């Protein structure tokens, strides 16, 4: 009897255990957590990650003498022409972590899925944009292995020459843009163009145009071929098609947020930039700038004493620390250096302002130069030039209605400041400088490529170099990936602000 009872107990335990096991997976499965992410959303994360960081304000925009701060310490950079790796690393870390990591992952997920071919090629275009910005600012970078730590466990990527990077960028942009297929499945979730492949094609060919022009001094034969291909493919030529990241109160513009928070009263338009616009009666000065009349401190920079009047605006001379800025303000009869003109943080640099990646204005001006060089045969240099100026003036109104410029003001400007064929390259690229305002990496790159505008070297006594030619590698990269960093330095030149990138001749 005892044996029977023992066997019955064992049977009951087994049956109970089986019953528990049959529901175990169901009971322990979270039915509300996502088990997979649509790779289109990762592309969106990469697009948002392309927004320019605060370091771009301090370095890229400072090098081209558009916006600077007289403050030292954390925000010191191009106004002092000194290396500040806390800020030179921001673009590197932000783009590799938030853009390249996501684009690599998307491509690896959809590589062999014909239904997501358009998504793959859209992602290749964004990835090419990000790598172009990175190599233009730093020179040799991890490209072929860059961003493959998660997918391929390459944690210490080798650095590639900029020459090799540009060759592959041109290949990637050419192939990916041509492969976009409107007859295939569309990816309407994308936040850049809502899946409109015609606009994506224009974006891709615009980047190809930019890449081709970057080679104008180092390889003009290849440059001409690439530019011809891009223009024939069709580039962005209307502001409605500009490649722009739209921001809102939840996803704010990084630089706009920076300039509307702790640094609101610390950054100013420069004297070279303000004087250039003012001397030509350029209506963009009123659209971009604000002066707080009589302000003696940051808290006194209020809407009540704000003016857009161009004649009032004074730019901060380059190379001044706090004491120098005080003296410069006094010499001009200003109440304090808080009365120097600023990029208006309530209009053009508000925290919901868009980030422009590529614009119609930039394309028209690059086409004007290409036509001047004989690389394209359609249109005239003057037509492209005038269209580029008009497009940028109209673009400002798309950022804020209070920055809109009227048709009559644009016509008056072009009549008073006509295109001069004898100064074609200087005029075109100086307008590109203005057109790329707040697009720091592009303004910095084109300034080095073209040599325009003709800026006076920074006069700061403690400067490390007359003009900054590249950004330095992050300390985190030097300490972790030191062997490959040292190989890059050996190939490219010292890791300092003076070393030039490959295409900068």
């Amino acid at each position: 009897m005892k044996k029977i009872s023992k066997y019955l107990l064992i049977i009951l335990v087994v049956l109970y255990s089986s019953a528990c096991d049959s529901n175990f997976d169901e009971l322990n499965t979270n039915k509300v957590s996502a088990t997979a992410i649509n790779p289109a959303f990762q592309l969106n994360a990469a697009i948002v990650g392309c927004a320019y960081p605060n370091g771009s304000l301090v370095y890229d925009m400072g090098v081209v003498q558009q916006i600077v701060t007289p403050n030292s310490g954390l925000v010191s950079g191009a106004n002092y022409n000194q290396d500040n790796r806390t800020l030179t690393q921001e673009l590197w870390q932000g783009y590799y972590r938030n853009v390249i990591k996501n684009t690599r992952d998307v491509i690896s997920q959809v590589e062999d899925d014909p239904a997501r071919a358009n998504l793959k090629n859209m992602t290749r275009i964004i990835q090419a944009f990000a790598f172009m910005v990175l190599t233009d600012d730093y020179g040799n970078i991890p490209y072929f292995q860059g961003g493959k730590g998660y997918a391929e466990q390459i944690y210490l990527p080798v650095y590639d020459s900029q020459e090799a990077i540009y060759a592959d960028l041109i290949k990637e942009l050419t192939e990916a843009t041509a492969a976009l297929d409107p007859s295939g499945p569309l990816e309407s979730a994308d936040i850049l163009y809502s899946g409109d492949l015609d606009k994506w094609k224009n974006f891709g060919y615009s980047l190809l145009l930019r890449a081709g022009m970057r080679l104008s001094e180092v390889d003009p034969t290849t440059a001409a071929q690439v530019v011809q291909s891009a223009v024939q493919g069709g580039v962005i030529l209307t502001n409605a098609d500009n490649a722009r990241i739209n921001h809102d109160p939840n996803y704010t513009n990084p630089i706009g947020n920076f300039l509307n928070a702790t640094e609101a009263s610390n950054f100013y338009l420069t004297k070279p930039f303000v004087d250039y616009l003012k001397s030509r009666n350029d209506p963009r000065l009123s659209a971009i700038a604000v002066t707080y009349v009589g302000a003696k401190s940051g808290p006194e920079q209020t809407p009540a004493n704000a003016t857009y009047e161009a004649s009032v605006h004074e730019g901060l001379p380059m190379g001044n620390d706090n004491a120098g800025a005080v003296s410069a303000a006094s010499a001009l009869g200003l109440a304090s250096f808080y009365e120097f003109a600023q990029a208006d943080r309530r209009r053009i640099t508000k925290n919901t302002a868009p980030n422009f990646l590529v614009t119609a204005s930039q394309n028209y001006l690059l086409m004007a130069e290409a036509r001047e060089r004989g690389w394209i045969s359609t249109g005239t240099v003057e037509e492209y030039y005038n269209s580029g100026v008009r497009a940028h003036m109209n673009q400002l109104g798309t950022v804020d209605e209070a920055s809109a410029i009227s048709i009559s003001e644009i016509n008056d400007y072009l009549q008073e400041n006509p295109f001069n064929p004898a100064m074609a390259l200087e005029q075109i690229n100086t307008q590109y400088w203005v057109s790329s305002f707040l697009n720091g990496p592009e303004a910095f790159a084109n300034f080095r490529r073209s040599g325009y505008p003709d800026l006076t070297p920074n006069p700061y006594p403690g400067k490390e170099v007359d003009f900054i030619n590249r950004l330095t590698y992050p300390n985190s990269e030097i300490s972790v990936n030191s062997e490959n960093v040292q190989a890059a330095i050996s190939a490219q030149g010292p890791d300092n602000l003076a070393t030039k990138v490959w295409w900068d001749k």
Side-chain angles (χ1 to χ4, degrees):
M1 187 67 182
K2 287 182 179 180
K3 288 184 178 181
I4 294 173
S5 299
K6 180 179 179 181
Y7 292 143
L8 286 174
L9 180 60
I10 292 172
I11 292 170
L12 287 171
V13 169
V14 171
L15 290 173
Y16 180 75
S17 298
S18 299
C20 289
D21 287 345
S22 65
N23 295 318
F24 183 82
D25 289 341
E26 183 177 355
L27 291 171
N28 287 276
T29 299
N30 189 328
K31 297 181 180 181
V32 296
S33 292
T35 57
I37 299 175
N38 184 340
F41 298 150
Q42 283 186 270
L43 172 59
N44 286 342
I47 293 170
V48 171
C50 288
Y52 310 120
N54 299 331
S56 179
L57 170 70
V58 174
Y59 273 96
D60 297 324
M61 298 181 205
V63 174
V64 299
Q65 300 185 10
Q66 291 179 332
I67 298 178
V68 294
T69 176
N71 292 351
S72 59
L74 179 64
V75 291
S76 65
N79 190 43
Y80 294 84
N81 272 24
Q82 294 176 345
D83 192 3
N84 177 356
R85 299 199 184 210
T86 300
L87 290 171
T88 60
Q89 72 180 0
E90 278 195 352
L91 181 69
W92 179 288
Q93 293 180 344
Y95 269 39
Y96 273 111
R97 294 171 182 175
N98 302 321
V99 185
I100 304 304
K101 179 180 181 295
N102 278 303
T103 57
R104 291 292 198 198
D105 194 26
V106 171
I107 292 169
S108 68
Q109 288 184 69
V110 303
E111 184 75 42
D112 300 319
D113 185 355
R116 307 306 293 270
N118 282 327
L119 178 62
K120 178 183 73 174
N121 289 308
M122 291 155 59
T123 305
R124 290 169 75 188
I125 291 171
I126 287 293
Q127 182 168 274
F129 167 83
F131 270 129
M132 193 185 304
V133 171
L134 284 166
T135 189
D136 287 345
D137 263 24
Y138 298 94
N140 293 1
I141 59 169
Y143 176 76
F144 292 102
Q145 294 183 352
K148 293 188 175 181
Y150 176 76
E152 300 181 27
Q153 290 75 57
I154 300 175
Y155 303 118
L156 301 175
V158 299
Y159 283 56
D160 302 289
S161 71
Q162 190 174 62
E163 182 176 8
I165 292 168
Y166 257 88
D168 198 69
L169 285 174
I170 290 168
K171 178 189 76 68
E172 280 291 287
L173 288 168
T174 300
E175 293 179 356
T177 306
L180 291 171
D181 183 6
S183 67
L186 302 181
E187 300 287 347
S188 59
D190 96 79
I191 60 172
L192 197 60
Y193 290 122
S194 301
D196 188 326
L197 293 186
D198 289 334
K199 293 183 178 181
W200 271 98
K201 279 181 174 286
N202 291 155
F203 176 39
Y205 284 123
S206 297
L207 291 175
L208 189 63
L209 170 63
R210 182 177 287 182
M213 292 301 297
R214 210 70 98 224
L215 307 185
S216 63
E217 302 304 315
V218 71
D219 187 354
T221 301
T222 300
Q225 295 169 351
V226 174
V227 167
Q228 289 171 11
S229 177
V231 173
Q232 290 171 1
V235 300
I236 296 167
L237 295 176
T238 66
N239 283 327
D241 294 342
N242 285 342
R244 53 183 273 173
I245 305 169
N246 292 315
H247 295 282
D248 60 32
N250 294 316
Y251 298 96
T252 56
N253 182 315
I255 291 174
N257 194 56
F258 188 63
L259 293 178
N260 279 275
T262 57
E263 302 303 325
S265 59
N266 293 333
F267 283 82
Y268 296 87
L269 295 175
T270 70
K271 178 176 174 59
F273 189 62
V274 170
D275 285 359
Y276 177 82
L277 297 175
K278 187 188 286 189
S279 67
R280 289 157 179 78
N281 196 27
D282 194 322
R284 284 173 288 191
L285 182 56
S286 294
I288 289 170
V290 63
T291 291
Y292 297 98
V293 180
K296 299 182 183 66
S297 65
E300 291 186 17
Q301 293 179 333
T302 64
N305 61 2
T307 181
Y308 302 153
E309 178 57 45
S311 63
V312 176
H313 298 321
E314 295 289 347
L316 176 66
M318 288 293 298
N320 281 294
D321 56 16
N322 283 99
V326 170
S327 297
S330 178
L332 290 168
L334 303 181
S336 73
F337 71 73
Y338 294 100
E339 201 176 352
F340 280 116
Q342 291 184 302
D344 188 6
R345 58 184 181 269
R346 295 178 176 86
R347 293 183 299 161
I348 206 72
T349 57
K350 58 189 177 183
N351 62 10
T352 56
N355 256 257
F356 291 96
L357 308 182
V358 180
T359 67
S361 175
Q362 291 170 329
N363 285 342
Y364 276 121
L365 292 168
L366 290 180
M367 290 167 69
E369 180 176 344
R371 186 70 178 90
E372 172 68 18
R373 292 177 179 273
W375 293 348
I376 57 176
S377 57
T378 58
T380 68
V381 179
E382 184 173 3
E383 287 170 346
Y384 289 134
Y385 173 85
N386 289 340
S387 294
V389 174
R390 287 183 183 277
H392 184 243
M393 290 189 178
N394 287 323
Q395 176 188 319
L396 295 175
T398 69
V399 178
D400 193 286
E401 291 182 0
S403 292
I405 298 173
S406 69
I407 294 175
S408 62
E409 288 177 302
I410 298 174
N411 291 338
D412 288 345
Y413 174 82
L414 290 172
Q415 185 174 355
E416 294 170 11
N417 302 275
F419 174 71
N420 181 356
M423 301 176 62
L425 291 181
E426 180 176 357
Q427 273 192 302
I428 290 165
N429 286 290
T430 303
Q431 284 294 333
Y432 199 91
W433 174 59
V434 179
S435 174
S436 299
F437 180 66
L438 297 177
N439 185 336
E442 185 57 21
F444 179 35
N446 199 68
F447 167 64
R448 287 173 290 159
R449 178 192 72 84
S450 70
Y452 296 112
D454 185 13
L455 299 173
T456 301
N458 189 324
Y460 187 71
K463 63 185 177 182
E464 296 178 18
V465 61
D466 281 344
F467 279 107
I468 294 172
N469 292 317
R470 63 176 285 274
L471 301 188
T472 51
Y473 295 130
N475 287 331
S476 58
E477 184 71 6
I478 294 170
S479 63
V480 173
N481 196 15
S482 59
E483 183 176 341
N484 289 320
V485 172
Q486 290 305 317
I489 292 170
S490 296
Q492 178 171 258
D495 183 28
N496 58 32
L497 302 174
T499 295
K500 290 188 175 184
V501 300
W502 166 73
W503 51 251
D504 182 6
K505 300 299 181 182

